[in-house]
Amino acid sequence: MLDAALGIPSEYRSREETLYFDETDNIKQVRITEKKDLNIKEKLNACFVLGGISTEETISLSELYGIMCKHNNKELKSSSDLQKDFPGLMKNQKVEKMLDLIYSRRWCVHFFMVQPIYYSFVDIIDSLFDSNMDTRSLKSVFYRILKSNEDYSIPIFIRYQYPSIQKSDVESFLKELILIADSYVKLHDISLNERLLIDDLVLQMNEVISSNKELVLLPNEKTNIWVEPFTFFYRTIIAMYQFKNLKFDQEIQVERQIKENPIIVNGEKLSNYTFVESTNEPMIQICDYVVAILKKYFVFLDRETNLIEEDIRNFDATQLSNFMIFNSLLLYSKNYNPLFFHYISDIRIPQMVDNYMLRYGT
C-alpha cells in the first residue's frame, strides 16, 4: 500500500533479485551506561549502513584482486584501505577502481542507512504531534537543534531517563528543550521556513505543558534504551525483501538471534537469506567498500549546505570525475529499483542525495 501511495509499481518489490550485504558503523544499540553516559559518546556522528550491490553476475577473487591491483591474498578491507573522509576517498585510486568496476558491470547499489542519534531523538516529535501529520521536516529541525549543542542536550535526556519520561517530569523536560530551541534561533542564521517549523515545535510543546498531558509514545519505553539492538534492521530488510535472495556478511550474533526468533510473514518462516564468510566471497568484499563509501558520503552531507558546496567546488579533476561516476551509479541504481534506497535519517540527507545525483550523475 505504501509503495502504491508513492507511485512505485509492485514489481519492484516482487522482482527476484540477488542482493549482497555488508555493514558499517554497527554500534549494536544506543543506551545509557551504568556510569550515566551515552555508550556512543565518541561516535555521535555514527551512521549505520547495511547494504552493498545487487547483481546476478559473479566475479572470482583472482579477477577482483587483479582489477584492484592487489598483489596478496588478503581480502579487501575498507577499515584499512579507506580511512580518509569522503573528499579524500574521491582521490583514492582503490575507490576509483571499485566505482569503475561496479558502474561498468551495471551492478546496482542498495542500502539501508540509519542515523542512530536522529533515530534516538525523533520519538518525541511523534508524541507531540498528530500521527496523521507528515512530521519529517519537524523531525529534521528538531534533530539539528539538539545536535547543535550535544554537550547540553544529551545530558538532559539522560537526566530525565529518556525515553521513559514520566508524566510528572514532562513539563520540566519540555521547558529545557524549549530553551535549547530558543538558543538555536539566537545563535544560527536560519531560514524563514526553519523559523516557522521551530515556532510550531515550541508552540506544541507549550500546549502539552499547559494541558498537563503526557508524551504518549514514551512512558512505556525501556528506560535508558534509546535504540534497540541493530539486529532489528536485519530483520526489517529480510521481511522487506522477502521475494529476493539476500546474502549477508557473516555476523554470528545476528544469525543466532534470527534463528532463535524466526521472521514470520503471513504464517510462513522466511528463508530468503544466508550469511556467508567474506574471506571467500568477493561480492561481500565489494560490499565492504560500498558501505564504507556510502557511510562517509552520508556523514559528508550531514552538514551545512554551504560547507558541502564549498568542498565540492574545491574538488580537483580526479575528485570531480569520481564524484560524477559515484552519482551516476546512484542514479542508475535508483532508477533500476527505487526501493534500493532506504533511510532512517534527517530528511535533508535523501534530499541532498537526490539533488547531487541529478546534478552530477549521467
Side-chain angles (χ1 to χ4, degrees):
M1 290 172 65
L2 178 59
D3 291 345
L6 295 172
I8 301 173
S10 60
E11 66 184 78
Y12 288 109
R13 193 171 296 280
S14 60
R15 186 166 61 197
E16 292 185 8
E17 295 162 319
T18 301
L19 278 65
Y20 297 88
F21 291 83
D22 201 352
E23 64 171 28
T24 188
D25 258 12
N26 188 343
I27 52 179
K28 306 303 181 185
Q29 67 177 151
V30 183
R31 60 180 176 81
I32 303 304
T33 67
E34 293 179 357
K35 295 181 179 180
K36 299 298 179 184
D37 211 344
L38 198 60
N39 70 315
I40 61 165
K41 185 177 180 181
E42 306 304 321
K43 297 199 71 176
L44 291 177
N45 287 325
C47 178
F48 173 65
V49 181
L50 181 56
I53 57 171
S54 172
T55 176
E56 302 310 311
E57 288 187 66
T58 57
I59 188 173
S60 68
L61 282 173
S62 59
E63 186 180 4
L64 175 61
Y65 292 169
I67 292 170
M68 298 299 293
C69 300
K70 193 170 180 63
H71 303 299
N72 57 44
N73 291 324
K74 292 183 178 180
E75 65 179 296
L76 296 174
K77 280 291 186 184
S78 61
S79 56
S80 57
D81 297 344
L82 310 181
Q83 294 184 339
K84 294 185 179 296
D85 60 9
F86 184 76
L89 290 188
M90 292 296 97
K91 287 184 177 182
N92 188 306
Q93 288 187 346
K94 292 179 180 178
V95 169
E96 183 175 1
K97 292 178 187 297
M98 183 62 75
L99 293 176
D100 284 340
L101 166 64
I102 297 171
Y103 188 68
S104 65
R105 299 289 179 103
R106 289 298 186 264
W107 296 344
C108 289
V109 168
H110 63 88
F111 58 82
F112 187 106
M113 73 85 78
V114 182
Q115 288 179 309
I117 285 296
Y118 171 88
Y119 193 42
S120 299
F121 288 150
V122 295
D123 272 357
I124 292 176
I125 301 299
D126 290 327
S127 294
L128 289 169
F129 290 88
D130 190 299
S131 60
N132 294 321
M133 287 181 59
D134 182 352
T135 56
R136 289 175 296 175
S137 295
L138 286 162
K139 289 176 178 178
S140 175
V141 73
F142 186 61
Y143 166 69
R144 294 198 299 278
I145 289 170
L146 297 177
K147 192 169 180 285
S148 70
N149 196 349
E150 295 159 347
D151 290 339
Y152 182 66
S153 60
I154 288 177
I156 292 173
F157 282 72
I158 295 173
R159 188 162 65 251
Y160 287 96
Q161 297 187 310
Y162 178 82
S164 182
I165 298 173
Q166 301 307 307
K167 185 176 179 180
S168 58
D169 291 329
V170 167
E171 178 178 348
S172 55
F173 173 68
L174 292 181
K175 282 182 175 179
E176 296 210 48
L177 295 186
I178 290 170
L179 287 175
I180 299 176
D182 290 342
S183 176
Y184 180 83
V185 170
K186 292 174 183 176
L187 296 175
H188 293 79
D189 183 16
I190 60 176
S191 66
L192 175 60
N193 182 59
E194 192 172 10
R195 178 58 192 260
L196 292 174
L197 288 168
I198 294 171
D199 287 346
D200 283 348
L201 186 59
V202 172
L203 180 65
Q204 189 62 27
M205 287 184 183
N206 278 319
E207 187 173 317
V208 171
I209 291 171
S210 62
S211 59
N212 195 29
K213 294 180 180 177
E214 64 180 0
L215 296 175
V216 180
L217 296 181
L218 301 183
N220 296 322
E221 296 286 343
K222 295 178 182 177
T223 299
N224 294 330
I225 302 295
W226 291 16
V227 180
E228 294 283 0
F230 282 16
T231 303
F232 167 78
F233 300 121
Y234 280 83
R235 301 174 65 85
T236 300
I237 286 174
I238 291 169
M240 185 169 68
Y241 292 140
Q242 60 181 292
F243 302 110
K244 304 187 188 302
N245 179 27
L246 313 180
K247 296 187 177 183
F248 296 98
D249 185 25
Q250 188 176 60
E251 293 289 338
I252 294 174
Q253 184 179 14
V254 171
E255 188 174 8
R256 185 182 68 249
Q257 290 172 346
I258 292 176
K259 283 183 178 179
E260 290 172 352
N261 186 14
I263 301 159
I264 299 173
V265 176
N266 295 328
E268 293 188 13
K269 183 169 71 173
L270 296 185
S271 58
N272 57 323
Y273 63 94
T274 54
F275 287 83
V276 297
E277 173 55 57
S278 63
T279 305
N280 300 313
E281 179 47 83
M283 309 307 282
I284 298 295
Q285 294 185 34
I286 292 170
C287 293
D288 178 51
Y289 265 48
V290 169
V291 294
I293 297 167
L294 286 169
K295 176 254 174 167
K296 295 198 175 188
Y297 185 48
F298 298 139
V299 172
F300 174 75
L301 296 179
D302 190 24
R303 302 181 298 152
E304 296 296 329
T305 304
N306 63 314
L307 298 178
I308 300 167
E309 289 288 336
E310 182 180 0
D311 280 344
I312 294 174
R313 282 196 301 271
N314 290 329
F315 279 179
D316 62 24
T318 299
Q319 287 172 302
L320 186 58
S321 174
N322 286 330
F323 190 57
M324 291 177 69
I325 294 171
F326 174 68
N327 277 286
S328 297
L329 176 57
L330 292 179
L331 183 61
Y332 173 77
S333 301
K334 188 171 184 181
N335 286 337
Y336 176 78
N337 193 333
L339 298 176
F340 279 179
F341 291 16
H342 192 94
Y343 305 86
I344 299 178
S345 71
D346 182 349
I347 193 175
R348 293 171 69 249
I349 301 297
Q351 288 173 344
M352 286 189 287
V353 170
D354 287 351
N355 173 35
Y356 290 121
M357 276 196 309
L358 295 175
R359 284 172 57 185
Y360 291 94
T362 58

